[in-house]
Amino acid sequence: MPARNAGILARLSGALAACGLILLLALSTALAADGVSGRRAALVIGNTAYQHLAPLPNPANDADRIREVLERANFEVTLGKDLDKKGLEETILGFLRTLNDGDVALFYYSGHAVQVGGHNFMIPVDATLATSYDLEVQAYNMSSLLEYMRETSSLQIAILDACRDNPFANNSYYVGQAKVAVEGKKGLASVAPQDGTLIVYSTAPDRVALDGNDGLSPFTGTFAEYALKPNVEVRKLLSDIRAEVIKRTDGRQTPWDASSLTSSFFFVTRQNLLIIEDMREVRVPPETKEVALRISPPITSGNAELTVNFTKLPDQGTLWLGDQQLSLDSKIAADRIEEVMFKPASADMTADEVRYTVTTDGGRSASGIVRVVVDSKAVAEVQVKPALNIQQGDEPKPAAPEQAKPILVAMASDIGTGFAAMPEEVVRSTSAAPTGWLRLEKRDPETQVAVDGKIVSEGDLIKAEDITKLRIRPSLKLVAAEDDATPVTETVAMNTSGSTGKVDTSTDSMEVKPLPLPADKAPAKEPLRTVVLMPAVKTAAPAPITINVAVSVNECDTLAAEPLDVQAVADGKLPNDIDVPRALTACKAAAEQHPEVARFKYQYARALYAEGNFKEALTELNAASDAGHVRASYLLGRLYQFGAAVERDPAKAIPLFESGAKRGDPYSQYALGRALVTGLGTKPDIDRGMAMVASAAESGHTYAMNMLGTEYLSGQHVAKDEARALKFITESSDRNDVYGMVLLGILYRDGAGVQKDTKHAAELFEKARAMGHPYAGRLLARLAERENTADAATISTWYRESAERGDAWGAFYAAELLKDNPTLQKDNGEIARLYALSASFNFKDASDQAKKALGGVDALTIGKEVQLALKRAGQDVGEIDGRLGPRTRQAASTVLGTAAPRNSGELLSDLLHKEWIETRPRLDMLGS
């Protein structure tokens, strides 16, 4: 058992043992979630507190109410209220992460929205929409979200209670390459759904929805009342809701829906079980004066109310419940049926028969028969075995039956690892193991429960023997334990038996031992998810099975997840922020323990790559990509574009980017869009490429904002628009993106779209340089040279830093500066190294000029630098004399893993590029 999980269980078990109940401990193994059908995930957003637009009275309340309803309907709900643009992006990302293994995806939105260009846009609370450029920066296209939902679920539902009056002063906005007029002042556009999709509008297209006066909108209030009606198909449900809303609003609001569903959907599918004894025979000795029929109480799913009436009374006696004689008109509560007594009319009775019917409050019924037979061999108070064994302790015994004991099960599970299984030995190993039927009495809203591969709901029945098939999946949201939770001051010691060290889970081997913990050493409380099963038969002292799951984030996720990864469960680390030794250990263990979880393979690959183990990293990266991890596919594509760790082949990157873009991965969308615009590895398609980049920017990808800004600034591929460029670039810079800062600095340096301000430009360049931007130092140096604001030594430092970060121009300009200032050289070979490094980056004009300049350096200097590079790589090249013979070239081929180039300048470039890659540069910062 891993030490971390062992600690969790020890602390949890101590708290449970304090309750004085039976405690069973188990560390479960998570199963792949794709073994369970019926998973549901929902995104619920309500925006009320608008900062610049008219506030709305009800959306936040609407969202809370819808969340409650959907959680009861077994949805894993991601809730967002009063979201600004960044909050909206983060909430949608959190929702997309829950869709990775879902069957049904639902989106509910209440707040301001606007229709432009046939699309509906959600409006966050910080939006102004004051200019034509604001929509694409400040809003979120609902169509994009629906596309992402379609890629990760088999059925999609969108519920839009957002058709208020259009409050926006501006009448047109840029969408894509066109400026499009707002389509009317009222309502949303009706969007034709694709197969498997249902779109629900709170009112008819182009009409306004009412806000209501009781804290909820008329539509949401009605939906909340109707949605949990069991076994009502969604299209019938919507018809009922529509009729009720029309009635409540006096015809002023008519809900609307557009469906292309290809299968049925029910918010609540209630088990329709009614279990009774078909036939029961009671044998009694002669001359019995009265006999307990001991009819087993009926069981029904869904906690339905049950009543019993007798449809045939005994011919030779009467039925009694306490001191009440029963008749054909008598109705009794089902939980008292086992108390019914039969009193024979005479001692001559030989046999008799009673018939009864059990009826649910929904009208379903079932009938049973009880035969009473006089048997001379029967003995008074003999144990009578019922035809259907339903509940432990329900058989008559000479003495009082042993009281059933509550059972507590402690489990631990990492989020995002699927459904955790309860081991078979947990319940089987105790003498108090349940029998018959159990009811799912309570389910923490942050969990989903499955039995035998199917999701079950509160009120559903489970056979006791199927409890080992029960699976629990904690949600991806990790919520801290309650502050008033029971203090952890004692734990349970579990004896081991035999030489195998196997844990003995029998109750006889458990003892409670106090383990006081100093206040300053007390472990942090783990979040718990609770599931409660109750015996289906109501008893005076029911014995529940309470399952507490201690939920945590796997250490691999905290150490090596990547930012904005739509399949991650943690915020993530940038490459150079990874704690490599710890991440390698944690992620290797996670990948081995959960081979079905693709993200652990990817995060292990990130740790290997950060270590410099490119070969193994590439193996894990391919495995993660093959298993469907979209960010792994993206990174593979980037490696093919760069030629880092693989042979450069930009065309191989395109299908990898395509797969991630469909899933809503903004990195893949940006990379694909950039390739389409520039024609890198694919046929150029500027319109699609710009649309793809816009989708990435919509999700908060600042590199995409930067590209849009530069495209509108340059006018190379789209119409030049400096004001539009400024909007995107400022948004990126405001989010502390270093490329956004540099671009904004360039605008101020050149006075493009803003008043020229070289001082502010220098401040932006310096801020970006300090945060790791690869060529901000070069821009700062060029500006300083032009404005004469720094000396040559300082400028050379900035150039060198940019060169070390992978900037071809920085390396070239550094070499040029050193030629003019020889005293600043570190050694006689530095200029050759800088030219060769610049050439190795293969960056357009800079590398071409560097290659040309390198050709002017004397051969012996280049040869010496080749030999020194090989020596740094661990090769024995003999004397450093600059003469490249067979021995040197063989050593170079060994280091490069391929035949060494004959040209000494090319050879030096290749060796320095390999050396540079091995320094673990911030590749994520390059080529943005």
Side-chain angles (χ1 to χ4, degrees):
M1 178 184 296
R4 178 181 60 83
N5 285 331
I8 293 171
L9 291 178
R11 299 196 293 274
L12 177 60
S13 64
L16 297 179
C19 302
L21 305 174
I22 294 177
L23 173 67
L24 299 175
L25 287 175
L27 178 64
S28 72
T29 302
L31 298 184
D34 57 7
V36 174
S37 62
R39 269 253 307 120
R40 299 175 170 191
L43 170 63
V44 176
I45 295 174
N47 285 339
T48 291
Y50 283 89
Q51 300 166 16
H52 308 288
L53 306 174
L56 298 172
N58 296 323
N61 295 335
D62 293 341
D64 281 330
R65 187 72 181 97
I66 291 296
R67 179 204 60 188
E68 293 171 3
V69 169
L70 294 179
E71 285 180 342
R72 290 181 62 190
N74 246 328
F75 280 86
E76 179 178 345
V77 179
T78 301
L79 175 68
K81 294 192 297 183
D82 290 334
L83 300 175
D84 59 16
K85 182 55 165 46
K86 291 180 184 177
L88 181 61
E89 295 161 3
E90 292 168 357
T91 302
I92 290 174
L93 175 63
F95 170 59
L96 294 179
R97 287 171 171 170
T98 69
L99 291 182
N100 288 322
D101 54 5
D103 295 303
V104 178
L106 184 146
F107 165 53
Y108 171 91
Y109 178 72
S110 181
H112 277 309
V114 64
Q115 56 166 304
V116 181
H119 294 275
N120 297 319
F121 292 85
M122 289 182 273
I123 308 301
V125 297
D126 62 343
T128 61
L129 297 188
T131 74
S132 298
Y133 303 112
D134 289 336
L135 184 71
E136 57 190 351
V137 174
Q138 297 179 359
Y140 199 100
N141 192 335
M142 298 182 195
S143 297
S144 300
L145 180 57
L146 280 173
E147 289 291 339
Y148 308 151
M149 290 164 62
R150 270 190 282 273
E151 284 298 316
T152 51
S153 60
S154 56
L155 188 149
Q156 307 83 42
I157 300 173
I159 303 174
L160 309 178
D161 191 6
C163 312
R164 275 79 175 182
D165 281 315
N166 181 350
F168 317 121
N170 206 62
N171 292 322
S172 59
Y173 297 97
Y174 279 100
V175 176
Q177 303 311 304
K179 189 175 183 180
V180 183
V182 175
E183 298 170 21
K185 288 286 186 179
K186 297 179 182 292
L188 295 180
S190 179
V191 179
Q194 296 187 21
D195 288 349
T197 301
L198 169 65
I199 303 178
V200 182
Y201 301 90
S202 61
T203 192
D206 301 313
R207 299 296 299 274
V208 174
L210 304 177
D211 279 308
N213 300 314
D214 58 353
L216 296 175
S217 73
F219 173 81
T220 295
T222 306
F223 179 87
E225 292 176 19
Y226 279 68
L228 295 178
K229 290 186 176 182
N231 303 324
V232 180
E233 208 278 329
V234 68
R235 283 159 285 200
K236 171 64 167 62
L237 180 74
L238 291 174
S239 295
D240 295 342
I241 291 172
R242 181 180 301 114
E244 184 64 21
V245 172
I246 292 172
K247 177 181 176 182
R248 294 184 183 185
T249 62
D250 296 324
R252 292 178 296 160
Q253 181 172 334
T254 303
W256 201 262
D257 61 82
S259 172
S260 63
L261 294 182
T262 56
S263 59
S264 297
F265 175 76
F266 303 82
F267 278 97
V268 177
T269 303
R270 184 63 48 78
Q271 279 183 340
N272 200 12
L273 296 179
L274 178 57
I275 304 169
I276 70 169
E277 291 183 84
D278 294 339
M279 172 69 73
R280 179 179 185 80
E281 186 175 275
V282 180
R283 291 186 172 270
V284 298
E287 300 185 6
T288 296
K289 294 183 179 181
E290 64 177 20
V291 61
L293 296 182
R294 297 196 183 277
I295 304 171
S296 295
I299 300 170
T300 186
S301 53
N303 287 311
E305 291 295 325
L306 301 177
T307 56
V308 179
N309 69 288
F310 287 88
T311 57
K312 180 185 179 305
L313 298 176
D315 297 326
Q316 304 176 54
T318 54
L319 297 180
W320 293 79
L321 182 61
D323 57 1
Q324 175 191 1
Q325 182 176 344
L326 301 179
S327 67
L328 292 176
D329 296 326
S330 300
K331 294 185 182 299
I332 65 173
D335 57 357
R336 298 197 65 191
I337 192 172
E338 61 183 343
E339 301 174 29
V340 173
M341 305 290 292
F342 169 60
K343 295 183 179 181
S346 71
D348 299 331
M349 185 198 77
T350 58
D352 211 334
E353 182 178 280
V354 175
R355 295 176 183 248
Y356 64 95
T357 297
V358 180
T359 306
T360 70
D361 52 7
R364 189 177 181 190
S365 63
S367 299
I369 301 172
V370 181
R371 290 179 55 81
V372 181
V373 179
V374 175
D375 183 352
S376 60
K377 297 180 180 179
V379 180
E381 297 297 331
V382 71
Q383 179 174 334
V384 181
K385 186 173 181 59
L388 177 63
N389 181 21
I390 294 180
Q391 162 67 18
Q392 59 185 26
D394 66 343
E395 302 174 7
K397 298 180 183 296
E402 180 183 354
Q403 185 70 38
K405 297 179 181 179
I407 298 172
L408 266 67
V409 179
M411 299 168 58
S413 178
D414 290 328
I415 61 173
T417 53
F419 282 79
M422 189 161 64
E424 182 174 351
E425 63 270 16
V426 168
V427 176
R428 298 294 187 200
S429 60
T430 172
S431 59
T435 59
W437 290 84
L438 303 168
R439 187 190 315 280
L440 179 56
E441 189 72 16
K442 177 185 175 184
R443 172 187 62 85
D444 191 295
E446 304 297 328
T447 63
Q448 291 179 320
V449 181
V451 174
D452 205 15
K454 295 181 180 179
I455 296 288
V456 293
S457 303
E458 288 182 2
D460 285 355
L461 299 179
I462 302 168
K463 289 182 179 179
E465 58 264 33
D466 287 342
I467 195 171
T468 55
K469 300 177 183 178
L470 187 140
R471 308 284 187 265
I472 300 175
R473 180 187 185 275
S475 75
L476 297 188
K477 291 173 289 184
L478 195 61
V479 181
E482 296 295 332
D483 291 338
D484 58 356
T486 304
V488 180
T489 57
E490 55 188 24
T491 189
V492 171
M494 301 184 71
N495 298 337
T496 58
S497 58
S499 59
T500 62
K502 183 178 179 181
V503 173
D504 176 8
T505 58
S506 67
T507 55
D508 292 338
S509 69
M510 292 186 180
E511 55 179 325
V512 178
K513 294 183 177 180
L515 292 176
L517 296 173
D520 60 340
K521 301 294 183 181
K525 294 177 237 179
E526 298 292 337
L528 295 180
R529 305 287 185 263
T530 300
V531 173
V532 178
L533 303 173
M534 294 289 287
V537 174
K538 296 180 180 179
T539 61
I545 300 174
T546 302
I547 306 167
N548 284 317
V549 184
V551 184
S552 56
V553 178
N554 190 283
E555 193 175 20
C556 177
D557 291 313
T558 60
L559 293 172
E562 186 169 33
L564 291 184
D565 184 353
V566 295
Q567 290 163 292
V569 300
D571 290 337
K573 302 280 187 182
L574 293 172
N576 281 24
D577 294 331
I578 295 174
D579 184 335
V580 175
R582 290 179 62 201
L584 284 171
T585 300
C587 291
K588 182 178 181 181
E592 290 174 350
Q593 184 179 2
H594 304 284
E596 76 287 350
V597 180
R599 79 171 185 280
F600 288 143
K601 293 181 174 68
Y602 173 61
Q603 289 165 187
Y604 184 37
R606 293 191 80 222
L608 288 166
Y609 196 88
E611 184 193 33
N613 189 343
F614 302 129
K615 184 176 180 180
E616 280 194 52
L618 194 60
T619 298
E620 293 296 328
L621 203 58
N622 276 296
S625 178
D626 291 344
H629 195 82
V630 297
R631 189 58 63 80
S633 298
Y634 158 80
L635 184 54
L636 272 177
R638 291 290 280 162
L639 295 181
Y640 281 121
Q641 285 185 328
F642 273 113
V646 296
E647 185 176 351
R648 188 171 184 271
D649 188 347
K652 285 186 176 180
I654 302 304
L656 297 170
F657 295 156
E658 290 275 12
S659 64
K662 290 178 181 178
R663 294 284 295 269
D665 177 41
Y667 278 68
S668 299
Q669 291 171 333
Y670 164 68
L672 177 61
R674 185 182 178 94
L676 289 167
V677 170
T678 61
L680 179 62
T682 185
K683 183 180 178 180
D685 186 338
I686 292 173
D687 287 344
R688 183 174 179 238
M690 290 294 288
M692 195 62 65
V693 177
S695 292
E698 180 179 63
S699 295
H701 195 292
T702 51
Y703 282 10
M705 297 175 193
N706 297 334
M707 179 177 171
L708 292 170
T710 55
E711 288 295 333
Y712 290 119
L713 184 64
S714 69
Q716 181 179 357
H717 298 106
V718 295
K720 186 171 182 176
D721 189 331
E722 289 185 349
R724 196 174 183 186
L726 180 62
K727 180 66 70 172
F728 280 112
I729 291 169
T730 301
E731 180 68 20
S732 174
S733 179
D734 287 348
R735 294 176 181 233
N736 277 330
D737 179 83
V738 291
Y739 272 88
M741 294 173 194
V742 162
L743 289 171
L744 192 58
I746 291 172
L747 295 183
Y748 279 103
R749 182 196 67 186
D750 300 340
V754 294
Q755 186 167 346
K756 186 174 181 178
D757 186 342
T758 56
K759 182 180 179 181
H760 186 43
E763 291 171 348
L764 288 166
F765 292 154
E766 171 57 29
K767 184 177 180 182
R769 184 201 68 79
M771 293 175 66
H773 189 283
Y775 61 80
R778 182 245 298 173
L779 293 174
L780 188 62
R782 297 291 284 174
L783 182 61
E785 284 183 309
R786 191 175 75 182
E787 302 289 323
N788 195 26
T789 55
D791 58 31
T794 300
I795 291 171
S796 69
T797 300
W798 288 335
Y799 279 142
R800 286 188 180 108
E801 181 184 68
S802 290
E804 291 168 358
R805 292 176 176 180
D807 177 40
W809 279 118
F812 177 76
Y813 287 137
E816 293 288 290
L817 181 67
L818 295 182
K819 281 175 62 177
D820 296 335
N821 298 270
T823 59
L824 296 178
Q825 294 182 52
K826 294 179 179 178
D827 54 63
N828 291 333
E830 186 178 10
I831 292 176
R833 292 196 303 275
L834 287 167
Y835 281 140
L837 187 60
S838 177
S840 78
F841 293 138
N842 198 27
F843 185 80
K844 302 176 185 176
D845 295 340
S847 295
D848 292 339
Q849 291 190 42
K851 289 175 185 176
K852 184 177 180 180
L854 186 61
V857 178
D858 69 273
L860 281 180
T861 298
I862 294 175
K864 287 180 180 179
E865 290 304 317
V866 168
Q867 292 171 328
L868 288 169
L870 290 170
K871 186 176 181 180
R872 290 194 296 273
Q875 298 295 312
D876 182 7
V877 294
E879 183 182 358
I880 307 298
D881 57 6
R883 291 177 170 76
L884 306 183
R887 179 180 178 182
T888 302
R889 295 192 178 279
Q890 180 58 46
S893 296
T894 300
V895 170
L896 295 173
T898 186
R902 301 299 301 174
N903 181 281
S904 59
E906 292 179 14
L907 177 56
L908 179 58
S909 291
D910 287 354
L911 288 170
L912 292 181
H913 189 77
K914 179 176 175 59
E915 189 173 77
W916 176 75
I917 286 289
E918 290 175 350
T919 64
R920 291 175 54 212
R922 286 288 297 273
L923 295 179
D924 62 307
M925 299 285 283
L926 294 171
S928 69

